[in-house]
Amino acid sequence: MALIKKGVTGMKDILPEEMIIRDYLINIIKKTYGSFGFTSIETPAMEHIENLLSKQGGDNEKLIFKVLKRGEKLKLEDAKDENDLVDAGLRYDLTLPLARYYSNNQASLPNPFKALQIGNVYRADRPQKGRFRQFTQCDIDILGEASNLAEIELILATTKALSEIAKGKKFTVRINDRRILLAMALFAGYSEDNISNVFIILDKMDKIGLDGVRKELTELDGEEKCEKYLNLFDGLSNDSKALTSLKESLNGFIEEGVLEGLSEIMNTVLDVKDNDFSLEFDPTLVRGMGYYTGTIFEVSMEGFSGSVAGGGRYDKMIGKFTGSDTPACGFSIGFERIITILMDSGFKIPDESKKIAFLYEKNIDSNVLTSILKEAATLREAGNIVLVSKMNKNKKFQKEGLEKQGYIEFKEFYREALK
């Protein structure tokens, strides 16, 4: 059987010029998040299938790469369905693995715990531009902090990182609260059994517009409830003043302090931020994960149709492992989407180090090679990046490839001096 040189669909090979940019961005992200006190951790790429199918991951649970049982545990003849054959799967995000990690290691961790996790996740999705089946996520989470400080710090840290890695790009943080969404639906008269369907329809606002949402809500449970629901959105501003205007309408339907808490988060972030970004209240923001319990947020960036970061509060997830709920909130950067934006715009690393390439001819004298290596070492000591490489037959093509990697100066060495 012939071997296949092309990678698995949706899982790409990364060429050197992109890898340089990826490493550069990850270093910035780690440094920025580290300055806020976040600590790097790592979790396995594979999780127990019971955890992955715990009805917390929304539609992502339909996209799990499942792993067959091994050896004697794999009993094909006794299997009644697919789940009898699997006992693990590749993680579809970093949040659920973090909850398991924290549950298992809580006694050894500080409280609150500020986690930074960068790693690959896997979804059996339909690949398209900026969307892959294997991709990198960059998450920060604060576990054990119930106050609004968690949301405020997560927004400040994430926007700081985005400002550093995508300089000059305009972006907007949109914020909402799942409890506000619930209260608005209850006010309109939707039953709790139907509320998840209301959220699914509302989440399509960007794709099908207001008329499309109105049509689907009417089909769901009649025109009267639909109009009462959509009227709540009329005239709402995108700042914290909208929360004040909602207070009277939602009285009796929303938990005490939710609107005030979201207002505090927004106003504090705007007062403290030292980066150029917009912060908007968006009552149509839903986010599909089933584990969100409170504040939710997304970041949109110019030049890209989808969100480039998102997250929220998930206070119930850790309790599913431990039996005791733990406050938890996180923000995830869509690393691959940021890479796509930067690569499309011709991004170059603003590297202060000069990149120099020494190219020497084949069969050069060993004494000459020694002197080349010594000269390269001296230049490296002075802060330069120096590549020493044998000269290819097609030197022009070789140099073009090195130029793509940022090499701006070349020095060539031959067996005999050129005349």
Side-chain angles (χ1 to χ4, degrees):
M1 182 172 64
L3 298 180
I4 303 170
K5 65 180 182 180
K6 187 177 179 181
V8 174
T9 301
M11 300 182 180
K12 69 171 186 175
D13 295 326
I14 301 175
L15 298 179
E17 51 265 36
E18 179 179 339
M19 199 68 216
I20 292 170
I21 294 175
R22 295 172 77 94
D23 287 342
Y24 169 77
L25 297 183
I26 285 175
N27 286 336
I28 290 178
I29 290 169
K30 285 185 173 181
K31 182 178 180 180
T32 303
Y33 285 155
S35 71
F36 281 82
F38 289 92
T39 304
S40 291
I41 67 163
E42 185 169 309
T43 59
M46 199 178 297
E47 284 287 336
H48 299 293
I49 197 65
E50 296 89 347
N51 295 349
L52 296 173
L53 294 175
S54 58
K55 298 183 179 179
Q56 300 182 92
D59 287 342
N60 289 326
E61 294 192 5
K62 302 174 184 177
L63 306 175
I64 297 171
F65 283 102
K66 297 179 179 179
V67 179
L68 286 173
K69 295 177 181 178
R70 278 94 32 223
E72 296 179 357
K73 292 183 178 181
L74 181 60
K75 299 178 181 179
L76 297 173
E77 62 281 2
D78 297 332
K80 296 179 181 179
D81 57 38
E82 182 183 84
N83 288 331
D84 290 330
L85 301 174
V86 303
D87 60 357
L90 295 178
R91 61 190 181 193
Y92 52 72
D93 74 359
L94 298 177
T95 306
L96 188 136
L98 172 64
R100 182 202 54 74
Y101 171 98
Y102 183 79
S103 303
N104 190 44
N105 299 287
Q106 186 174 358
S108 302
L109 299 173
N111 185 40
F113 179 51
K114 302 176 74 171
L116 161 60
Q117 189 175 188
I118 300 176
N120 284 335
V121 300
Y122 307 85
R123 297 177 190 173
D125 207 345
R126 182 171 64 87
Q128 52 187 291
K129 185 177 178 64
R131 184 184 294 271
F132 306 97
R133 289 178 170 173
Q134 173 183 306
F135 56 96
T136 299
Q137 283 189 339
C138 303
D139 285 18
I140 49 172
D141 295 80
I142 301 178
L143 310 178
E145 178 58 72
S147 77
N148 294 330
L149 176 63
E151 283 90 339
I152 293 166
E153 281 220 291
L154 288 168
I155 294 172
L156 291 173
T158 301
T159 53
K160 180 73 171 178
L162 288 172
S163 296
E164 291 293 328
I165 65 178
K167 289 183 181 296
K169 295 289 184 181
K170 295 181 180 179
F171 60 93
T172 300
V173 179
R174 296 182 295 131
I175 190 167
N176 197 7
D177 194 299
R178 291 296 285 260
R179 294 166 294 184
I180 296 175
L181 287 168
L182 175 61
M184 293 174 77
L186 291 174
F187 168 84
Y190 290 107
S191 66
E192 293 200 16
D193 292 339
N194 235 355
I195 284 176
S196 61
N197 294 321
V198 174
F199 289 175
I200 290 170
I201 294 170
L202 183 64
D203 200 29
K204 299 177 185 178
M205 184 69 80
D206 290 343
K207 296 179 181 178
I208 64 177
L210 179 60
D211 289 341
V213 168
R214 176 177 280 109
K215 180 176 181 293
E216 291 196 18
L217 285 175
T218 300
E219 292 172 352
L220 175 69
D221 204 356
E223 184 177 352
E224 182 179 349
K225 290 179 182 177
C226 170
E227 291 307 315
K228 188 175 182 181
Y229 181 61
L230 293 181
N231 283 342
L232 284 171
F233 296 86
D234 286 347
L236 283 180
S237 62
N238 61 10
D239 56 21
S240 60
K241 294 177 182 177
L243 302 170
T244 303
S245 63
L246 278 173
K247 187 172 183 178
E248 184 176 345
S249 299
L250 300 183
N251 185 37
F253 294 95
I254 193 165
E255 294 178 34
E256 185 176 349
V258 171
L259 295 168
E260 294 80 1
L262 191 58
S263 179
E264 179 187 36
I265 292 168
M266 294 184 68
N267 291 332
T268 304
V269 168
L270 291 173
D271 286 342
V272 175
K273 76 183 184 84
D274 58 359
N275 306 302
D276 185 18
F277 66 91
S278 300
L279 177 63
E280 298 179 356
F281 169 62
D282 183 356
T284 68
L285 179 62
V286 176
R287 293 198 57 79
M289 293 300 196
Y291 50 66
Y292 290 123
T293 60
T295 319
I296 49 176
F297 20 72
E298 280 189 356
V299 180
S300 57
M301 183 175 288
E302 63 174 355
F304 199 88
S305 57
S307 64
V308 297
R313 184 168 282 277
Y314 53 99
D315 289 346
K316 300 291 184 182
M317 183 184 288
I318 293 172
K320 294 182 182 296
F321 290 97
T322 64
S324 177
D325 289 342
T326 299
C329 197
F331 216 143
S332 176
I333 290 178
F335 188 73
E336 304 297 344
R337 297 185 178 188
I338 297 291
I339 287 288
T340 299
I341 292 171
L342 295 182
M343 295 289 286
D344 286 350
S345 64
F347 175 79
K348 299 294 182 184
I349 295 174
D351 197 336
E352 295 180 358
S353 300
K354 184 189 291 187
K355 301 185 79 170
I356 306 168
F358 284 5
L359 304 179
Y360 66 90
E361 193 176 18
K362 183 180 179 181
N363 296 325
I364 204 165
D365 185 88
S366 61
N367 291 328
V368 176
L369 179 58
T370 298
S371 66
I372 293 172
L373 293 173
K374 286 182 177 179
E375 183 178 350
T378 300
L379 288 170
R380 291 186 189 115
E381 286 293 324
N384 299 290
I385 297 172
V386 184
L387 170 76
V388 178
S389 180
K390 191 182 297 181
M391 194 180 294
N392 291 347
K393 287 184 178 179
N394 189 341
K395 185 177 65 175
K396 182 176 181 292
F397 181 76
Q398 182 182 18
K399 291 174 74 172
E400 287 174 352
L402 290 171
E403 285 171 351
K404 289 181 180 179
Q405 296 179 40
Y407 287 89
I408 61 172
E409 185 176 318
F410 296 87
K411 188 171 182 179
E412 299 168 12
F413 301 86
Y414 295 89
R415 291 192 300 275
E416 296 180 8
L418 295 177
K419 297 181 180 179

